[in-house]
Amino acid sequence: MEVVNVGLGERSYSIYIDRGLLLECGNKLPSLFSPPYKGGVSGGVGRKAVIITNPLIRGLYGNLLENSLKEEGFKVHFIEIPDGEGYKTLETAVKIYDRLIAIKMERESPLIALGGGVIGDITGFVAATYLRGVPYIQAPTTLLAQVDSSIGGKTAVNHPKGKNLIGAFYQPKAVFIDIETLNTLPKEEILCGAAEIIKYGIIRDGDFFEFLENNIERLINLNEDVLIYSIKRSCEIKADVVSKDEKESGLRAILNFGHTIGHALESLTGYKKYRHGEAVAIGMVYAARLSLKLGLCSSEDYKRVVNLITIAGLPTEIPPHPPLRPPLPLLQKEGIKGRSKGGRGGFVDAIINSLYLDKKVKEEKIRFVLMKGIGSVELRSDISNELIRKVLTH
Ligand code: NAD
Ligand code: GLY
């Protein structure tokens, strides 16, 4: 088993990575608490544990996790929410609170998020707010959740006006990454995780990027050694960044490489055309192109990024005739006003407009994460709309 520590003082926790780890959850749980749970079997007896999941994942892995908890004496409850980003809402959170109140869930008992990033984000949000905070465990079952969303304590639900607008920073007690769960994950979802893994190489570790260049096909085909190493290295990089800047006052923003344009693409297409990782893949290509135009990276580095994303099987370009979702509350920025039209030109304008609606805009300046070669990035807020337009239309 691999273990990565997230160092955050008294809120520190471990990320465990192995095959078959869901079976170990029960016996690991009691020792995660301070003071550790005491009493029957290993401390679980008489204690409740609530697994939050969706029907699909419950059908695949619910029994495994439930049995592992029951063996340690935990009284297990399931709360199921419907599958999909559309249910990551306050309304769903309220339904979860209702159930927690109905089963008299008390402050010391854990919630366990069994699923992808949607389940992880909403469970973390409920954990942060129910009874002013209860412990929670992440048991991520998508590659994206295993290398990104389950780590670092960003919890959230969506608001009709935007993704993740309501949330809190609230760290889990532990993350249990069972790579066995990836065997049932559709290929497209594996690719989304791969996009975030590639991101870690670009932002922080040139050697890891090179490892991925040599092993991307093995990673996507779930070769055990490559998978475990890639998940571990990604977790180490995220843990290091989060432990230095938990609440994103600076450094943590580098984790958003590719996300600025990626988020705009997702939002403008109503979250229907692209999965998150696909939009991030395209966003990384444009961020790399912007870096090239600004002379921050060489054309060879730019080509390596495009090549790795391409051989991974991820998209690299916005399509010529992208579908727009119904009009956004567009900000009328200088140079954009009145320019929205159909086709790619209109879409590029809409992307630039949408960039100003991002949570990460500060004092009306769009913040880009740009690459300085491979393995290092910098934050820039001085990029003109003209240059963004040029890069998007090249
Ligand atoms: P997801 O949670 O929607 O899961 C994708 C699909 O895979 C779902 O249909 C799910 O039911 C299914 N699934 C999950 N595990 C499976 C398995 N083992 N086998 C078969 N099917 C399985 O999507 P995601 O990509 O995991 O997460 C996306 C969410 O994560 C978004 O809401 C995003 O905002 C959030 N996110 C959060 C952070 C953070 O730091 N908190 C970071 C990145 C993304
Ligand atoms: N996914 C970006 C972050 O956790 O900060």
Side-chain angles (χ1 to χ4, degrees):
M1 178 166 56
E2 301 287 347
V3 184
V4 176
N5 189 47
V6 185
L8 286 166
E10 61 183 14
R11 284 168 292 105
S12 297
Y13 55 95
S14 295
I15 304 165
Y16 303 92
I17 308 162
D18 207 352
R19 186 178 287 285
L21 210 48
L22 285 180
L23 287 168
E24 305 279 320
C25 249
N27 69 42
K28 285 214 168 342
L29 214 54
S31 65
L32 300 175
F33 295 85
S34 167
Y37 291 166
K38 292 203 174 64
V41 197
S42 60
V45 170
R47 213 171 272 279
K48 293 181 182 117
V50 173
I51 301 171
I52 301 182
T53 188
N54 71 32
L56 171 72
I57 302 163
R58 180 175 181 176
L60 291 167
Y61 304 108
N63 275 349
L64 273 182
L65 183 56
E66 182 182 19
N67 290 341
S68 137
L69 292 162
K70 279 187 168 165
E71 266 175 32
E72 302 299 320
F74 284 94
K75 190 165 170 8
V76 181
H77 297 265
F78 277 94
I79 300 181
E80 282 183 27
I81 65 173
D83 194 353
E85 183 72 35
Y87 293 96
K88 203 178 93 175
T89 59
L90 268 180
E91 290 71 27
T92 309
V94 169
K95 288 186 180 139
I96 300 175
Y97 298 136
D98 290 346
R99 281 287 314 283
L100 293 174
I101 292 165
I103 61 178
K104 298 191 170 57
M105 183 70 173
E106 61 286 297
R107 213 180 234 151
E108 289 75 27
S109 295
L111 307 183
I112 304 170
L114 177 67
V118 167
I119 295 288
D121 278 14
I122 196 166
T123 302
F125 177 74
V126 167
T129 45
Y130 178 67
L131 301 181
R132 299 197 185 94
V134 296
Y136 78 111
I137 309 291
Q138 291 276 14
T141 61
T142 64
L143 186 57
L144 183 131
Q146 295 180 349
V147 297
D148 188 2
S149 62
S150 67
I151 307 154
K154 276 190 182 176
T155 76
V157 292
N158 300 327
H159 184 275
K161 294 272 187 218
K163 249 187 102 171
N164 296 330
L165 290 186
I166 320 288
F169 286 97
Y170 191 65
Q171 301 294 340
K173 287 277 175 209
V175 182
F176 291 101
I177 299 178
D178 185 345
I179 62 160
E180 183 78 31
T181 59
L182 300 178
N183 288 340
T184 53
L185 192 66
K187 182 73 168 268
E188 311 83 67
E189 300 292 345
I190 299 281
L191 292 187
C192 288
E196 297 287 354
I197 291 173
I198 291 170
K199 176 194 78 179
Y200 289 116
I202 297 172
I203 64 172
R204 215 69 173 152
D205 186 346
D207 290 343
F208 181 43
F209 186 90
E210 195 178 329
F211 171 86
L212 292 172
E213 287 179 312
N214 294 323
N215 290 286
I216 195 74
E217 278 163 25
R218 272 178 280 238
L219 172 66
I220 285 156
N221 291 320
L222 306 182
N223 170 285
E224 178 152 339
D225 291 342
V226 172
L227 187 59
I228 289 193
Y229 176 70
S230 302
I231 293 174
K232 183 182 178 208
R233 191 67 201 112
S234 301
C235 291
E236 282 170 348
I237 293 171
K238 180 145 188 187
D240 178 53
V241 170
V242 167
S243 64
K244 291 182 169 125
D245 178 24
E246 182 184 11
K247 300 208 170 151
E248 201 166 312
S249 42
L251 179 71
R252 185 166 177 164
I254 70 170
L255 298 173
N256 295 322
F257 180 75
H259 287 56
T260 312
I261 286 171
H263 279 156
L265 275 178
E266 281 183 281
S267 136
L268 283 171
T269 51
Y271 298 95
K272 291 203 163 56
K273 182 168 171 57
Y274 298 106
R275 290 178 168 81
H276 177 69
E278 293 165 346
V280 167
I282 296 173
M284 290 196 290
V285 169
Y286 286 105
R289 199 175 288 165
L290 209 42
S291 312
L292 175 65
K293 288 264 190 270
L294 287 163
L296 291 171
C297 74
S298 65
S299 64
E300 195 207 328
D301 289 338
Y302 167 72
K303 282 183 197 147
R304 285 177 71 193
V305 168
V306 178
N307 190 43
L308 182 54
I309 292 173
T310 307
I311 58 172
L314 285 157
T316 55
E317 293 278 343
I318 54 172
H321 299 292
L324 281 174
R325 74 170 196 177
L328 279 170
L330 296 182
L331 282 187
Q332 297 298 311
K333 299 298 298 179
E334 196 188 338
I336 298 175
K337 199 170 173 181
R339 288 180 60 103
S340 277
K341 49 189 177 288
R344 188 164 181 148
F347 192 62
V348 166
D349 288 341
I351 289 177
I352 297 174
N353 264 337
S354 178
L355 294 175
Y356 285 95
L357 298 173
D358 196 279
K359 281 198 295 306
K360 290 171 272 298
V361 168
K362 271 197 182 156
E363 290 158 11
E364 300 215 340
K365 296 252 185 290
I366 304 165
R367 203 163 43 155
F368 275 98
V369 187
L370 298 178
M371 54 182 261
K372 296 188 295 180
I374 287 175
S376 163
V377 284
E378 70 177 31
L379 300 175
R380 293 279 291 262
S381 302
D382 59 344
I383 313 300
S384 68
N385 289 341
E386 284 63 38
L387 186 58
I388 301 171
R389 187 187 310 282
K390 204 184 245 174
V391 161
L392 286 169
T393 45
H394 73 299

